[in-house]
Amino acid sequence: MSTLEDKPRVEAAIAIVVREDNLILVSRRRADDTLGGYWEFPGGKCEDGETLEQCVVRELREELDISATPVRKLDPVEHDYPHLLLRLHPFLCRYDAGEMKFLECETACWIRPADLPQYQFPPANERLIAEVVALFATRR
C-alpha cells in the first residue's frame, strides 16, 4: 500500500484559453493516453528552469500550434489520484493567433463556458470547472 509520501508529485500548468467572443478552448485526450477520451484544458508538466507561465505558452504551441498570453493565474488545484499527487496551476489566457492542429490530442474545440459540465473531464478538474463557469457567468 502506498502512502502520500511514496507517490510521485506532478506540477502542471494548464490554460483556459479565451477568445474575444468569450468561448474557451477544450481538447480531448487521445484514447491511448492516460485518462484517454477525457476532455481537458490544454497544458502539461513544467520543464527544468521554466516558469508556469512559460510552460503554459509552450504546451499550447506543442499540443495545438496556437499562441496565447497568460493574463490571470487562478488558484492551484490539488488532486490525489491512486498513482500520483497532481497540482494543476490554471491560467486564464488570451487567445492570440494560430489555426489549431491536433498535435498531441484527439481533437479540440471552442465552447461556451456554461457548457463545460456537459464534457467529461478528469476528476481533478471538478472544482475548477465550477469556478470557470461561475467566473464567466458574471461576464457580459
Side-chain angles (χ1 to χ4, degrees):
M1 178 182 214
S2 73
T3 65
L4 289 179
E5 293 79 30
D6 296 335
K7 289 185 185 182
R9 295 174 185 267
V10 173
E11 304 280 333
I14 59 173
I16 296 120
V17 182
V18 184
R19 288 195 319 201
E20 286 183 11
D21 57 5
N22 276 341
L23 293 181
I24 59 173
L25 179 64
V26 294
S27 60
R28 188 167 55 208
R29 291 172 167 262
R30 291 181 176 153
D32 61 351
D33 199 359
T34 304
L35 298 172
Y38 279 79
W39 290 88
E40 65 183 353
F41 298 111
K45 296 180 214 167
C46 289
E47 295 179 352
D48 288 342
E50 185 176 54
T51 68
L52 293 168
E53 291 85 350
Q54 291 167 333
C55 174
V56 82
V57 168
R58 176 186 51 76
E59 288 285 346
L60 288 168
R61 193 173 50 253
E62 289 178 358
E63 293 180 13
L64 294 157
D65 198 28
I66 64 168
S67 62
T69 303
V71 293
R72 179 177 168 195
K73 187 175 190 312
L74 302 178
D75 291 336
V77 175
E78 294 186 2
H79 190 80
D80 182 7
Y81 282 106
H83 59 291
L84 63 85
L85 291 171
L86 175 66
R87 181 180 293 147
L88 298 174
H89 298 274
F91 288 86
L92 282 178
C93 298
R94 180 188 67 240
Y95 169 75
D96 292 328
E99 290 294 321
M100 279 193 295
K101 297 177 185 130
F102 310 135
L103 304 173
E104 292 186 16
C105 62
E106 183 176 298
T107 191
C109 59
W110 297 97
I111 66 169
R112 294 178 325 123
D115 293 338
L116 278 169
Q118 298 172 28
Y119 290 75
Q120 184 180 21
F121 277 72
N125 288 270
E126 192 173 306
R127 181 182 61 82
L128 178 59
I129 288 170
E131 183 180 346
V132 172
V133 169
L135 178 67
F136 281 85
T138 62
R139 289 185 170 195
R140 288 268 176 227

